[in-house]
Amino acid sequence: MKNELQYRFNDGQIANRFLNELTHWSSSSGNVHVKASLAKTSHTVQVSYLFDGRGFDYTCSELDELAARYGGEEV
């Protein structure tokens, strides 16, 4: 199942820090490959990932927590 999320940050620099963090981040839900890029504005990050549907997917809540550490929130 493909999931897509967007996170908004206070400025582009913080959004890029979050984006950089995702390049070496992994979910506790297993082998989940996360793709991320800047979205509509320089302070919004688009995140997508595929989940195999086995078990419970913690990836979304983990991404929310990671974004919150950078002052971001899901849009």
Side-chain angles (χ1 to χ4, degrees):
M1 173 172 58
K2 184 175 183 178
N3 295 307
E4 294 183 351
L5 309 162
Q6 282 192 0
Y7 294 97
R8 182 176 48 228
F9 299 89
N10 291 331
D11 61 47
Q13 184 178 17
I14 296 172
N16 277 300
R17 287 180 184 164
F18 175 71
L19 188 60
N20 185 48
E21 175 96 18
L22 290 176
T23 60
H24 55 83
W25 180 84
S26 62
S27 172
S28 68
S29 295
N31 191 16
V32 176
H33 181 68
V34 174
K35 293 182 182 179
S37 62
L38 290 177
K40 299 174 187 172
T41 64
S42 64
H43 61 275
T44 306
V45 176
Q46 172 80 32
V47 180
S48 63
Y49 67 93
L50 292 173
F51 181 67
D52 62 10
R54 288 186 243 149
F56 186 78
D57 181 15
Y58 293 98
T59 306
C60 184
S61 64
E62 291 172 353
L63 287 168
D64 288 349
E65 290 172 6
L66 180 62
R69 283 193 253 153
Y70 287 91
E73 61 183 8
E74 188 176 351
V75 191

